[in-house]
Amino acid sequence: MQSQESTDTSTPPVAKPQAAARTANKDASVLPYAIQRTTLPNGLKVLFVPMPSEGLVSYWSVVRTGSRDEVEQGVTGFAHFFEHMMFRGSEKFPARVYDEIVNAMGADANAFTTDDFTAYHLSFAKDDLAQVIEIEADRFQNLQYNEDQFRTEAGAVYGEYRKGRTNPFEVLFEAVQNTAFDQHTYKHTTIGFEADIQKMPEQYTYSKTFFDRFYRPENVVLLVTGDFDPTQTLATIQKNYGTWKKGYVAPKVPTEPEQTTQRRIDVPFDGETLPLLTINFKGEGFDPANRAMVAATLVAELAFGETSPLYKKLVLDEQRTEMIGASFDYSRDPGLWSVYARVKEPTDVAMIETEMWNTIDGIHEHPVTTERLDAVRSRMKYRFLSRLSTPNEVAGALARFIALTGDVTSIDTLHKTLDQVTPADVQKAARQFLTRERATVATLHTKGTAIETAAVREASAKVKGKITQPPVLMPVAQDPNVAFRVWFQVGTQNDPIGKEGLAALTSALISEGGTKDLAYEKILEKLYPLAASYEAGVDKEMTVVRGTVHRDNADTFATMMVDAIVNPGFRKSDFDRIKSQMISGIENDLRFSSDEDLGKAALYESVFQGTRYAHIDAGTVASLTAITLDDVKAFHKMFFTRDNVVIGLGGAYTKTLPDSFASALGELPAGKPTAMPAPTPMKFEGRHARLIEKDVPTTAISFGYPIDIKRGTRDFYAMWIANSWLGEHRNSSSHLYQVIRETRGMNYGDYSYIEAFPNGGRRTMPPTGVGRHQQMFEVWIRPVAREQALFALRTAIREVDDLAKNGMTKAEFESTRKFLKKYALHFAETTADRLGYAIDDRFYGIDGHLTKFRKMMDEITLDEVNAAVKKHLQTANLQIAIVTKDATAMMEQMAAGTPTPITYPPGIKKSEDILAEDKQIEAFPLQIPAANITIVPVETMFAGTTEKTTG
């Protein structure tokens, strides 16, 4: 490929983007789309990737600056912090105006920072591209913010850091990087050293120099993908970015000295966790033509992937570790290549480390087989190709390579080098890079815990028949993939009393266990070169087995997926392994690693107490312990039947696949279980609070109540508009977000929901496969400082109360519905997503929810919205769940109803209007009497035995 760059230093005429030159072999590039390149006279590089996308465009600004570039002492984490500040706007488009414009577009907009780069990205309808270019060019050249805004955002960033301290992996790798590096800026994580984050409010003047130094055209690459006119787009870019002044000077990043002695650290963790063990090697900077570097990175999959002998031994057979894996990521400079494991027993840590070293020594001594190496190559190829379906996926896949090298030609170079790597290359690279002298070894464990440095086949006869319910089919000939959905009309509400978690355990054994004829490790081996997997998602009323595979491999994948569903092996070893993982997930992860998920689960227990919705999908420790393998077999036989299933296919499947797939699933037994009625939530009056006592630095808050609203009705779409204005998920347009985070810098985000939205911290768009006939209105306040918790709670209830009493204004209504009409395009960008919605349509008995959603944005009136708000929204009767320390003191504060003022960090000045509003908020009536407050020790949560409570 050849790039076309401008060299004229005068004001350029409107140029045409130049496509990369093609060789005689049109398949020479691994990329399925042509790349068009232009470089403006000021050094700004522009890459275009036109592709069919039904009117969607993604626009990425890749700044080749990350935490790696923070060479001055005392300002680590500034690249990440400055990413936040880039949303503060300019004189032409202040922050609120910028947000309103993006909101009106219905754009999916966000940004992120890594060690090596910062990326700003928007995905939107193509008719908004010119305006996106205008507002992005403006903020990249004319960013403005005052000191108060700067200090407020510093509070949000420190809240993000404190939130990370509850995650044992973040704590571990922060310590590892600090130990492994002496000189290079990879010594600190992307978010920076805590001491520097604490001092950020004082770095206002420095921040201005940061913008001037790094946000220059020579250091930025624009990437536009999707459905757009390249010539017209380039002209608009030249117009808006052409006057951007040069001035970038690359910082002198220190070179890390060669490490000659192994380093070891022990990391105590304040929360409960299983031991984590990691071995980290000094790697090599990204060079796609360097066979040694490329060969070394393959060791991650070859030696520690899910099809490796070590994974089979430690995770599947001996079950001494919950997980084992490796991450040999590409980095701009020599970084860390990490091997890690979560160990079940502290006494096994030393043994697991020995096993890791033995595996590495084995690579040193014996070349891998050509067959194994080819499987890894195949997986890398198809994993990459399968993630190029949408404009945003394409941009996301290319952004890292752009950041590392300035272009995407490295992708083809990398794949060519991969094809050339031999088993001998891998062996040589392992000997070069993966040595004890170059390693930093670390263990993390619960503070105070000592760390010391140990097959049944089941058959069930199936009478072949026909699936009785019609399939959901969504052919898309141009899609590179085929999406599979197999929906069983069963969920966690079908769990027997006393054996809650049975639906989840049964489904996990289908997707993470062996079949009658293949052990799980053999399944992983077969799936590996396809770069595919299948998983079972379980919710209250739905179980969906799903998978997506490149169309070249659809038939092979379909056969394997059917075998897992129809002929599960239900081996005792798989049963013990998965059941142990689920119990550990409650005891270690849910209780002690995610306060947000813990609080939301506690809220569901409170709101739906006494119903089959109340328990979490995994059940309780006691109920899981009570489940036997015979229970799993009986549950599968009762509910996984050919009369209880709906199949879905989407993408570029062949004409014969729907019939063959349905016929194969016809081997399931007959039987239609009795449908369960929707739960009737227990009525409660007043506000009730459940405080989960836990020694944590921040406080997580959720509150809600059952809401009688059905998808497909006009009331539903009216309420969605109101809720979107109030608390659109992970979106700065949220009113709660603006009031709590933006104005006061209390936390990382604040959102509300009228439909189930599990795993909200790990997704940006609404999920599919969680259809429910009973919903809950919920407000999620991401963790805040303990001393600000009741102020934040008061703020959120006050805002909901205000909306419930006064409704939306015309301006709020108009901007929100316009935003949603376009934003809804992002709900289902891929064929797999759209297929998920089509399955949900079958569940709800409606036709084309996504299409109707956008249509309703034109039809619903303000009067309808406010009528729906008046009917469905209230704050008089609430369940509140709070994860906090000092729960007794909080209970006393709540019950007393005394004001809880907010205190701003020194130096932060707020306007008189905000301070006056703060006074109103601090005294807003909580109205939660002591009799309505319960304190629950975190150790008893989801135990399945009688909780020890006070209050």
Side-chain angles (χ1 to χ4, degrees), residues 628-639:
T628 67
L629 187 53
D630 286 338
D631 293 328
V632 170
K633 294 174 184 176
F635 192 88
H636 181 267
K637 183 177 181 180
M638 176 178 292
F639 292 105

Side-chain angles (χ1 to χ4, degrees), residues 2-19 35-48 64 216-222 234 237-238 241-242 244 246 402 405-408:
Q2 298 175 354
S3 63
Q4 180 74 23
E5 298 187 355
S6 300
T7 55
D8 185 7
T9 58
S10 62
T11 303
V14 174
K16 293 185 178 181
Q18 302 297 308
I35 309 296
Q36 302 181 18
R37 296 174 171 80
T38 305
T39 300
L40 303 189
N42 60 7
L44 178 68
K45 181 174 284 189
V46 183
L47 300 185
F48 289 160
R64 299 185 67 205
R216 294 287 187 172
E218 316 97 294
N219 195 40
V220 177
V221 179
L222 298 184
L234 180 59
I237 287 174
Q238 288 177 312
Y241 287 92
W244 194 3
K246 290 183 175 183
I402 290 172
T405 66
D407 207 313
V408 296

Side-chain angles (χ1 to χ4, degrees), residues 207-475:
S207 73
K208 297 293 188 178
T209 67
F210 191 91
F211 180 67
D212 290 339
R213 291 165 57 200
F214 294 109
Y215 282 68
R216 294 287 187 172
E218 316 97 294
N219 195 40
V220 177
V221 179
L222 298 184
L223 174 63
V224 187
T225 60
D227 182 3
F228 64 97
D229 182 321
T231 301
Q232 181 179 346
T233 301
L234 180 59
T236 307
I237 287 174
Q238 288 177 312
K239 174 184 175 182
N240 285 275
Y241 287 92
T243 58
W244 194 3
K245 301 299 183 183
K246 290 183 175 183
Y248 173 70
V249 177
K252 296 180 180 179
V253 179
T255 301
E256 182 68 17
E258 186 73 16
Q259 182 176 329
T260 59
T261 305
Q262 185 179 117
R263 303 175 182 185
R264 305 184 70 94
I265 56 171
D266 180 83
V267 185
F269 181 63
D270 288 335
E272 292 289 333
T273 182
L274 290 180
L276 302 179
L277 167 68
T278 179
I279 302 175
N280 308 270
F281 300 95
K282 293 287 178 58
E284 185 68 286
F286 180 66
D287 179 357
N290 183 341
R291 281 173 67 166
M293 184 224 80
V294 173
T297 61
L298 297 178
V299 175
E301 286 289 340
L302 289 167
F304 302 100
E306 288 186 336
T307 56
S308 67
L310 187 64
Y311 186 95
K312 177 181 183 299
K313 178 179 182 180
L314 296 181
V315 179
L316 304 180
D317 292 346
E318 297 179 2
Q319 299 182 25
R320 291 177 179 266
T321 66
E322 280 201 347
M323 56 167 288
I324 193 166
S327 175
F328 286 26
D329 286 344
Y330 305 136
S331 55
R332 195 161 176 178
D333 300 325
L336 290 182
W337 292 339
S338 302
V339 181
Y340 48 84
R342 181 152 62 182
V343 185
K344 291 186 176 183
E345 296 294 337
T347 53
D348 282 343
V349 170
M351 182 278 291
I352 301 301
E353 183 184 346
T354 299
E355 292 282 0
M356 288 178 170
W357 283 117
N358 288 344
T359 299
I360 294 166
D361 291 341
I363 298 277
H364 288 180
E365 296 166 7
H366 306 290
V368 299
T369 66
T370 301
E371 292 76 14
R372 176 86 173 123
L373 182 57
D374 287 343
V376 169
R377 277 193 278 247
S378 175
R379 177 177 177 80
M380 291 185 68
K381 172 186 175 182
Y382 285 117
R383 182 168 56 185
F384 182 77
L385 291 175
S386 298
R387 296 174 179 174
L388 301 177
S389 298
T390 71
N392 207 46
E393 287 179 331
V394 171
L398 303 188
R400 174 167 286 277
F401 293 97
I402 290 172
L404 295 175
T405 66
D407 207 313
V408 296
T409 54
S410 59
I411 295 174
D412 285 330
T413 305
L414 175 65
H415 281 81
K416 289 175 183 176
T417 305
L418 277 170
D419 289 340
Q420 298 166 0
V421 169
T422 66
D425 289 332
V426 175
Q427 183 182 33
K428 181 179 179 181
R431 290 173 175 174
Q432 177 181 350
F433 295 108
L434 309 185
T435 67
R436 285 165 171 78
E437 293 76 19
R438 296 170 60 86
T440 298
V441 183
T443 56
L444 176 141
H445 56 88
T446 300
K447 186 181 294 183
T449 301
I451 296 292
E452 296 181 12
T453 49
V456 178
R457 176 174 174 173
E458 299 290 339
S460 57
K462 304 287 195 301
V463 179
K464 189 171 182 178
K466 291 184 178 180
I467 290 177
T468 57
Q469 302 190 58
V472 177
L473 301 178
M474 189 175 288

Side-chain angles (χ1 to χ4, degrees), residues 346 505 586 728 826 856 917:
L505 180 53
I586 295 173
E728 183 67 48
H826 306 295
M856 285 294 102
E917 187 178 48

Side-chain angles (χ1 to χ4, degrees), residues 851-882:
T851 301
K852 185 174 183 179
F853 187 104
R854 300 192 72 216
K855 181 172 179 285
M856 285 294 102
M857 295 304 105
D858 290 329
E859 292 187 9
I860 296 294
T861 67
L862 175 59
D863 287 342
E864 284 182 284
V865 170
N866 286 335
V869 166
K870 186 174 182 180
K871 178 180 178 182
H872 297 288
L873 204 62
Q874 54 87 24
T875 61
N877 306 307
L878 295 178
Q879 292 286 352
I880 303 166
I882 301 178

Side-chain angles (χ1 to χ4, degrees), residues 66 70 86 110 172 254 265 316 379 390 411 419 446 458 500 503 521 567 570 594 681 791 801 901 910 914 926 939:
E70 297 158 359
M86 281 292 290
N110 217 321
L172 174 62
I265 56 171
L316 304 180
R379 177 177 177 80
T390 71
I411 295 174
D419 289 340
T446 300
E458 299 290 339
E500 292 83 3
E521 60 267 24
N567 302 307
F570 290 145
S594 177
F791 184 90
D801 189 64
K910 296 297 178 184
I914 292 175
L926 283 174
E939 295 83 3

